[in-house]
Amino acid sequence: MSKAFVFPGQGAQSIGMGQALAEAYPAAKAVFEEVDEALGESLSGLIWDGDQETLTLTQNAQPALMATSMAAMRALEAEGVGVDQAAMVAGHSLGEYSALAAAGALQIGDCARLLRTRGLAMQAAVPVGQGAMAAILGLDLAVVRDVAEAAAQGEVCQAANDNDPAQVVVSGNAAAVERAVDIAKEKGAKRAMLLPVSAPFHCALMQPAADAMAEALAEVQIAKPKVPVVANVRAAQVEDPEEIRSLLVEQVTGSVRWRETVEHMGGAGVTEIWEIGAGKALSGMVRRINREIAVRAVGTPEDVAAAVADA
């Protein structure tokens, strides 16, 4: 079996995630301690004992999800399953940072600081209420791109996430995204609905955040990953550190090409995908993209034990 490890993005966060891993594995607990130290605050306290609304704030959710993914990765490593047993890794949006940390290209502390900067910059790029995102279900990417173009009317409206054959997310100015919802319904979408997000991610309105990340990433050491990383904006494997750096900047305004990422993995011979961290959203997407790829979520000590037993 050829395995790939994938790492979730925003929306997977929940109070208590990763706590059982930290209690069961010293190496997992050390991840949360490293993130707390890097940020100069107890993010772990928020994750385990805080409230969902505060955790969901972009600047908290992003490093928190990375920490949980890396805790699960360290637990797997403690049981003898390392990233070197994966043919490749990938992550959905912020999950790409988790993938890079798992592959040894980024240090966990640097990752936490970058994601805090990324979250704050993305939130600050567009005043609350001026941007929006919407999920379009039941129309393929080409049709959704036409919908977005028709809805723009001089504003920004772009296909932001090509998640799977049944779901494409559009992002942009609030009025344009609302028009896209109406047009998508007219085009026969099964559902088209605004998403409860605080900013219009992965579209041209995020350019100020991309500029901020270019500055932040310029100060960080990036090593060659131990295994190839399938980049969001290219849906292809990258290993060159400078290419990784530029693609992480491009990712802020670019589309998350998740459907193509999974198709690339299948075409490269991947037969099993492990979702490392919180939730099972990516597992569902993988099933809708390629039913021949087996999926497994690894986010608890029980998941780790089951995965290791089958490895």
Side-chain angles (χ1 to χ4, degrees):
M1 299 281 278
S2 176
K3 288 193 286 287
F5 295 164
V6 301
F7 300 84
Q10 214 156 320
Q13 67 276 357
S14 63
I15 295 298
M17 63 182 184
Q19 187 168 12
L21 288 168
E23 291 169 353
Y25 293 95
K29 184 180 180 184
V31 170
F32 289 102
E33 291 171 346
E34 188 173 349
V35 169
D36 288 350
E37 184 177 350
L39 297 179
E41 65 184 65
S42 179
L43 185 66
S44 60
L46 169 62
I47 298 168
W48 299 335
D49 299 311
D51 65 277
Q52 184 72 20
E53 189 175 348
T54 306
L55 178 61
T56 298
L57 291 173
T58 304
Q59 66 264 29
N60 294 328
Q62 294 199 24
L65 285 161
M66 182 277 298
T68 303
S69 285
M70 286 307 300
M73 195 70 233
R74 293 289 183 261
L76 283 169
E77 289 167 358
E79 298 289 358
V81 178
V83 73
D84 57 334
Q85 294 186 31
M88 61 195 76
V89 296
H92 191 284
S93 190
L94 82 90
E96 190 162 336
Y97 286 79
S98 306
L100 288 163
L106 283 172
Q107 297 298 311
I108 288 173
D110 287 338
C111 230
R113 286 184 289 268
L114 285 168
L115 287 170
R116 170 57 57 83
T117 298
R118 186 177 183 267
L120 288 168
M122 291 173 100
Q123 189 59 64
V126 180
V128 174
Q130 291 190 17
M133 299 180 78
I136 312 296
L137 308 186
L139 297 179
D140 67 25
L141 178 62
V143 175
V144 174
R145 281 179 172 155
D146 290 342
V147 167
E149 188 177 346
Q153 297 179 20
E155 295 185 303
V156 171
C157 188
Q158 294 172 233
N161 298 0
D162 178 17
N163 283 335
D164 61 48
Q167 184 192 98
V168 181
V169 175
V170 296
S171 181
N173 293 107
V177 171
E178 288 167 8
R179 288 191 292 270
V181 167
D182 293 337
I183 295 169
K185 289 175 180 175
E186 292 168 7
K187 293 265 190 185
K190 291 178 181 175
R191 290 183 72 191
M193 56 208 174
L194 293 171
L195 296 174
V197 295
S198 56
F201 305 127
H202 298 292
C203 75
L205 296 176
M206 288 287 111
Q207 188 57 49
D211 296 340
M213 290 312 296
E215 281 188 34
L217 283 157
E219 303 297 319
V220 171
Q221 180 76 29
I222 300 178
K224 182 179 178 180
K226 295 172 186 172
V227 296
V229 179
V230 185
N232 278 196
V233 295
R234 192 170 289 174
Q237 296 175 38
V238 293
E239 295 182 78
D240 177 69
E242 292 313 309
E243 191 174 14
I244 289 168
R245 195 186 310 273
S246 65
L247 289 175
L248 286 175
V249 175
E250 191 179 331
Q251 190 219 56
V252 179
T253 56
S255 297
V256 176
R257 295 166 62 181
W258 192 252
R259 176 182 56 82
E260 292 173 89
T261 293
V262 174
E263 287 174 348
H264 171 86
M265 290 178 168
V270 168
T271 54
E272 187 175 350
I273 288 178
W274 292 14
E275 180 174 5
I276 313 291
K280 299 180 180 178
L282 298 184
S283 298
M285 291 178 195
V286 172
R287 287 191 189 96
R288 291 188 288 273
I289 296 164
N290 185 339
R291 288 193 169 276
E292 294 181 9
I293 297 177
V295 294
R296 173 188 296 280
V298 184
T300 67
E302 293 77 18
D303 294 338
V304 170
V308 169
D310 292 342

